[in-house]
């Protein structure tokens, strides 16, 4: 049985003071979140160490928003997977649409980052998703499978079987327009089916989570779908009350 997973992606928001305030509010509210719900937050890099220190006595897990495709060396401005593992990071987001669109990360680059994370004993959260134009042209299935199979082509199926895949339709990220529960379920069912077909009899423990304008008002309906194992939450994760409500909905 897969525990549901809720991840708060804080993106490039807040100061050290607001990060501390937010983590303290979350700490106080975690008692009301069912024990079988895994909850992680992904602060900006500069705030991670302090957030880890402040949350050391809680159930909160730590995630990073990005990781280098390089292992070590003269790569100015990068943060390696081993560095993240060294400070207690559990998850790392790779392939977020903002990284793909704003920084030109290709499927191959994302696959390399996934591999670095996996071989450093981090759990990658692979983001896949289509643009509005791709959906309207009927290419949703082609796009998300190409993004997922880039990982399989790079390091095989096994690393994906215990990872996390986040379906994030690009047209729903930060727009307030979430995919309907039925639209999200359709893509999640497709991904689960393909993972099962590639697994060669191995157990598929992959958690499939949804991202894209997830809020307290729509999370319960999303979690009511058979193949949605949680959520990657953006803006709503900056409001402790809203985020905790989403976490509670995952337990119903």
């Amino acid at each position: 049985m897969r525990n549901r997973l809720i991840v708060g992606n804080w993106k490039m928001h807040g100061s050290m003071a607001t990060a501390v305030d937010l983590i303290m509010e979350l700490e106080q509210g975690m008692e009301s979140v069912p024990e079988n719900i895994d909850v992680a937050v992904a602060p900006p890099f500069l705030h991670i160490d302090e957030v880890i220190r402040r949350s050391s006595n809680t159930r909160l897990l730590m995630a990073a928003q990005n990781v280098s495709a390089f292992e070590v060396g003269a790569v100015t401005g990068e943060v390696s997977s081993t560095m993240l593992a060294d400070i207690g990071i559990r998850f790392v987001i790779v392939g977020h649409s903002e990284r793909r669109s704003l920084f030109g990360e290709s499927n191959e680059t994302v696959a390399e980052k996934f591999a670095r994370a996996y071989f450093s004993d981090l759990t990658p959260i692979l983001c896949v998703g289509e643009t509005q134009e791709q959906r309207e042209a009927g290419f949703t299935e082609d796009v998300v499978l190409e993004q997922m199979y880039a990982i399989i082509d790079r390091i095989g199926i096994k690393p994906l079987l215990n990872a996390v895949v986040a379906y994030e339709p690009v047209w729903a990220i930060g727009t307030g327009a979430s995919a309907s529960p039925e639209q999200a379920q359709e893509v999640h069912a497709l991904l689960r089916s393909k993972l099962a077909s590639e697994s060669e009899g191995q157990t598929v423990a992959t958690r499939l989570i949804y991202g894209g304008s997830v809020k307290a008002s729509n999370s319960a309906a999303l979690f009511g779908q058979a193949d949605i194992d949680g959520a990657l939450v953006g803006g709503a994760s900056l409001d402790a009350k809203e985020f905790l409500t989403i976490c509670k909905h995952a337990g119903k």
Side-chain angles (χ1 to χ4, degrees):
M1 185 69 178
R2 297 179 299 272
N3 279 5
R4 282 186 164 164
L5 172 66
I6 310 297
V7 182
N9 179 12
W10 296 0
K11 303 191 180 182
M12 197 174 69
H13 291 293
S15 63
M16 185 68 79
T18 60
V20 169
D21 288 344
L22 180 52
I23 207 68
M24 290 178 67
E25 287 185 71
L26 292 177
E27 180 180 357
Q28 292 170 4
M30 280 299 293
E31 288 184 2
S32 62
V33 176
E35 290 285 339
N36 63 340
I37 306 301
D38 293 333
V39 181
V41 294
F45 275 131
L46 287 177
H47 302 159
I48 286 178
D49 191 58
E50 183 65 13
V51 169
I52 289 175
R53 189 177 72 82
R54 296 277 183 163
S55 62
S56 60
N57 295 319
T58 75
R59 289 167 42 209
L60 286 169
L61 303 169
M62 287 299 119
Q65 298 178 22
N66 189 25
V67 66
S68 180
F70 297 91
E71 182 176 5
V72 68
V75 193
T76 301
E78 291 288 279
V79 177
S80 74
S81 57
T82 53
M83 291 173 177
L84 295 177
D86 190 46
I87 63 169
I89 295 295
R90 168 80 176 274
F91 299 95
V92 61
I93 301 168
V94 298
H96 194 284
S97 66
E98 291 157 5
R99 299 296 312 177
R100 295 178 190 265
S101 63
L102 296 176
F103 300 96
E105 292 189 3
S106 65
N107 286 339
E108 292 72 26
T109 298
V110 173
E112 193 62 35
K113 291 187 173 192
F114 187 106
R116 294 292 181 198
Y118 172 75
F119 289 119
S120 294
D121 294 325
L122 301 172
T123 300
I125 301 173
L126 170 68
C127 296
V128 302
E130 82 285 10
T131 64
Q132 184 67 46
E133 293 77 13
Q134 289 166 333
R135 171 166 280 273
E136 291 175 351
F139 293 146
T140 295
E141 179 174 331
D142 294 336
V143 171
V144 298
L145 290 182
E146 182 180 2
Q147 292 170 339
M148 187 174 76
Y149 272 86
I151 308 303
I152 298 172
D153 292 343
R154 169 66 178 79
I155 51 175
I157 185 62
K158 184 178 179 181
L160 267 173
L161 298 182
N162 290 286
V164 179
V165 178
Y167 170 54
E168 288 202 308
V170 179
W171 47 271
I173 298 174
T175 65
S178 176
S180 71
E182 294 75 21
Q183 286 174 319
Q185 167 60 21
E186 183 178 15
V187 176
H188 281 237
L190 168 70
L191 295 172
R192 199 174 302 285
S193 172
K194 292 296 182 181
L195 286 167
S197 70
E198 295 285 348
S199 68
E200 299 178 345
Q202 301 175 79
T203 300
V204 181
T206 313
R207 288 190 276 192
L208 304 180
I209 64 177
Y210 172 76
S213 296
V214 177
K215 304 178 284 289
S217 59
N218 63 15
S219 57
L222 287 164
F223 299 147
Q225 302 300 309
D227 291 297
I228 296 181
D229 298 323
L232 180 56
V233 186
S237 69
L238 299 173
D239 181 314
K241 183 178 179 180
E242 179 98 357
F243 185 65
L244 288 166
T245 300
I246 294 169
C247 294
K248 293 172 194 175
H249 285 168
K252 295 182 179 179

